[in-house]
Amino acid sequence: MSGNSILPKVIDDATCPGCALLCDDLRLTIEGERLTNVESGCAHGRAWFAKANIAPNTPIRVGGQAADLNAAIARAAEILTEAHAPAIWGLAQATIETQRVAIALADHTGALVSIEGQDTSSLRAFQRVGEISASFGEVRDRADLIVYDAVENPHLPERFVERFAMPLPGRAIVWIGSEEAAREFGIEPNLVVTPLIGGQTSFYQGLRAIVREAVVDLTRVSDACGVEIETLTQFATRLKEARYGAFVRCGLGANEVLAEAKFKLVRDLNSFGRFVITHAGSKFSNGAGARAVLTWQSGSAGETDFGPGIPRYVPCDGLQSRLDAGEIDALLELAPSGQSPAQGRSIPRIVIRADIDPLPDTNAEVEIPTACPAIDEGGNMLRVDGVMLPLTPIFPGRRITQVEVLRLILARLQETTR
Amino acid sequence: MSLLKIANGYVVDPSNGIDDVRDLWIENGKIVAPPNDPGVRPDRTIDATGDVVMPAGVDIHCHIAGSKVNTARAMRPEEVRRGGAVNRTDVLRSGTLGSMPSTFTTGAKYAGLGYGTAVDAAIAPLAARQTHFELADTPIIDKAFLLLMGNNHYVMNCVRESADAQLRSYLAWVLNASKAFGIKVVNAGGVEVWKAGKGRVSTLDDLVTGFDVTPRAILTALTSAVDDLGLPHPVHIHGQNLGLPGNADSTLELMTAIDGHRAHLAHIQFHSYGGDLKTMSSRVDVLADYINSHDRISVDVGQVMFGETTSMTADGAVGQFLHKVTGRKWYSHDVELETGCGVVPITYDNKNLVHALQWAIGLEWFLRVDDPWKIALSTDHPNGGSFLAYPQIIALLMDRGLRADTLATLPEKVRERCPLGDFSREYSLTEIAIITRSGPARLLGMKHKGHLGVGADADITIYRPDADKARMFSLPRYLIKTGRVVLDDGELRSAEEGNLLHVAPERDSEHEQKIKTWFNDHSTMRFANYAMRENEVPQAAVVASGEQQS
C-alpha cells in the first residue's frame, strides 16, 4: 500500500487487535497518510485504529535521555547480560511473531516469563479437569441455549452478541448475574439467575450435583448460593435439555475452585447433549497467542522460568512473588500500557511498547517505542477461541516493530556469548 | 556446497535394491553419482566401515503440532515435568519431553532417532496457521501435515449434491490455502453427528444428520477426488468405531467400500478387534488377508507400548468414551464447519487385558502382512506411545525371543485371544528399512525421500550395528539432513529449520468464487484471512501432484 496515493485506498476484512475477539471484518479507508474511516468496528476498535493518525512518536530513551536505536539495543543487551535473574513480562498484546522471539530471548537469558493478565486460576483448573470448548462459529450456529456467566466484574465485548450469539427462534438465553448488568450489555435473557458473589462455587457444585442426580442437601446449597431451590432445579433441567449448550464466561476466573466447578458442570452436561464453555475475551488481544507460543516452545502454559537452562513451570513462584522477594534483577516489558509490575522498584527495566498513547516518563532504563499491531505492524494473533488471524498493517514499515527490536537484542546477546 | 562422502558403509536401500558395502556421495543436499574423476577429493569423508547406512526415517503418521497437541501440552504439566527436560545448548533451544515434547525438542529427538521427515496426520484447516508456526519451531526434520476433511461441511454439501468437480476444486483450494500435504478422513460424518448432539454413527450407511449423506458416500467421494487430483498420498483414513471391541467388521466393510481406490488406513491396530467388551480378541487375520490380496491399500499400525501417554484425536466421541472409561481429565474442542477433537491422558498397563491385547494385536499386524511395503511403523504418536519407542518396536520385530519374553509377562488371556505367539517371523534390516523409511516415503508419494539413489534428498542415517537392536536404533552415529551433518558421531551439531512439504494442485478460479461466497456466509473468519499469505512459510517446498509429477 502506498502512502502517497491520491485516491483513497480501502483495506477490506482487516483484523482489529482492540480486544481478544479480533474481529476481522473491518473496512479501513486510507487517504494519503491518514486513516479516514473505519467501518464495522465497535467503539473500542475504532478508537484503536484512530491512533493511526495520532501516533505519538515517543523518542527512544536510555537512562531517561533521548538516544538512538543502537545505543538502546546495546544497553538492553548489557542489562540482560549482567542480570542473574531477569524476567520478561507482558506479551499479551504482541503478535505471535514477537512472542516467539520474546520466548527465544527468555531461553537465551534464562529469564522468567510472565504473561500480562493471564487467568492463572482457570489455567490451573483446566490442568486439573480439562475443558470442553468450541470455536465461536459452533456457538453461533448450533447453540439452542446460551448461558452467560457474568456474576463478578462482567466484561462482554461489544460485538460478541452480534457476531456469535444473536437471539434466534429456539435459542434460550440465561444470564447468571444481575439484571442490571444484563441490561448494560444489551442482553434480554429468558432467565436471570443471581447467585451471591461468595456463593458461586456452591451454586455450580450444587447444579452439578442436581444434574448428576447425586444426593445433595438442596436447602444448604440454596442457602449458600442465595438462589431459590425451585430456580436451581428449573435451571438444572434446562441445562440438561439443551441440545447444544454454550456457557460463555464474561470475565476472569476468580479462583481455581470456582473455575473447576464450572468446567466440571459443563463437562458432565455432555452426558445429555453437547455442551461447551467459551470465554468472551478480554482487552488483551493476544493473551491466547502468548499462552500458545509459550506452550509449544517450552511445554509450559503459565509462568515459566528458563533460569535452570530448561523451562520450568512455576505456578506458585511467579513474577510477583519473586519481585516481592527481591529476586528479579532486570525486567523486560512488552506491554503498550506502560504499567509495570516493577514500578517503583530499583531494578533496571527495558520497556518495548507499541507506541499507542502518549505516556508520562516510564522511568525505564531503556524505553523503545515501536510500531503498533495492525497499524504499522503486521503479524498474527490468536483469537480467544483458538482461531489464528493475520493482521494487515495500514502503514507498513513506518516504524520499527517489536519483533525487529527483540531480534536485534537477541542478535547482540548471541554475539556477546559467541 | 561442499562435497561429502560416506565411505565403505553397509548400505541398506530397499527402493534401489541395494544391500551391500559401497560409498555414497552428497552435494547440494542431494545424493550424487560418484565423480568420474578419481582425483576428486571430498571436503569431508565419513568413514562408515562396519556401519549400516540407511535413508533417514520417515514417520507417516504422528501428531506433533497444532492446537490439539499444544493444548494437550498445556493440560498436562504433571506429565511434562515427569518426562524431563532438554537443556539449552549452543545449537538447540531448551524444551520438555513427556508424551508431547515441546517443538524444539520434538525436532531434535526425531533427528536423534535418525528420522528426517514427519507427517502430522490431523490438522483442521482452521488451525493450519498455528500449525505452520509450530512446525517452523520444530527444527531439523522436514514436516508435512494432512487436512481433516471427513466432517467438513463444504465437502459434505458437495457429496450430497454429487458435485464432483466442485469437490475437487474445494480440495485444491484448501490444500493450497493451508499449504498442506494431503487429505485425512476421521470417522467420516461421525464427528459431525456427535458434535450435533445426535449420538454416534457406527456403520458406513448411517445418515449424517443435517447433510443427508452417509459415511460411505463421503469416503468414496474423497478417495475419488484425491485420485483425480493426483495427490501424491492417497486419502488417509481413520475409520469408524476406533478402539471398540468388534470393530473389525466395520473396518473390513470400509476396506471393501473403497476397493479400487488408493487408500491408506491409519493406526489399523485400533480398528482390528473382535468380540465385545468381555471377549475382545484379535481379528487381524481377516483384515491382513485383505491387505495381502489388494495392492492399492496400505496401513500404518499405531502400535501400543506400555506406559504413560496422551490420547488425542479429531474423533471427539472417542475422547468422551476414554474419559468415561478412565475417569481422567478430558479436553474437547469443536472446530466450526470442520471437525472436533478430544484429548485424554492414558496409561497402557501390561496387566490390563485390553491394553495387553492392543500391544499384541499391533505386533501381529507387522507379522501378518507379507509385503512390508504395505505397512508402516507408527505408534500414532502419542496415542499408542511416543515416537521415541520406535527402537523398542524394531527390537520386538527383529527378535522373536524378545517378543516371547514380553508376551509371557502379559495376562494369560492375551495368548488365548491373539495368536502373536505363533509367529516366528523376524524382520531383517532391509524390512526394518522398508517399514521405517522407504515404505512410508513411497506411500506418501515423496519420491525424493526414503532412498539413496542419485537425486534423492541426502537424508541419511548411519547406525553402528549392535546385537541390542533397541540400542542400535536409539543411538545413530550420524544423521545427514539435506546434506548437512546434523548428528556427528552422536553429537548434535546444528538444528536448522527443515522444509515444510506441501502440495499445490491446480486451482479452479471459477469455483473459488463460489467457495468464497459460501465461506463468508458460514465462517466466523473472513475468506481473505484464511489462506496463508505469500512468504508466511519461508521453508515451504512443493511436492508435485497430478500432471506436475511428469
Side-chain angles (χ1 to χ4, degrees), chain B residues 405-464:
Chain B
D405 289 347
T406 310
L407 191 58
T409 66
L410 305 183
E412 178 65 31
K413 285 182 179 172
V414 174
R415 291 180 285 286
E416 296 168 8
R417 299 185 190 184
C418 175
L420 177 66
D422 298 341
F423 292 88
S424 59
R425 180 179 172 185
E426 292 183 329
Y427 267 55
S428 67
L429 268 182
T430 298
E431 288 176 315
I432 292 297
I434 293 170
I435 64 168
T436 57
R437 45 263 287 164
S438 304
R442 184 180 289 182
L443 297 174
L444 287 163
M446 295 179 179
K447 294 179 178 176
H448 56 310
K449 301 282 187 192
H451 71 98
L452 300 174
V454 171
D457 283 359
D459 297 352
I460 305 164
T461 312
I462 302 176
Y463 297 102
R464 172 60 48 90

Side-chain angles (χ1 to χ4, degrees), chain A residues 312-332:
Chain A
R312 183 67 80 180
Y313 179 40
V314 287
C316 302
D317 182 25
L319 178 63
Q320 202 57 54
S321 65
R322 291 193 188 191
L323 280 169
D324 292 344
E327 293 174 356
I328 298 296
D329 58 0
L331 183 63
L332 190 157

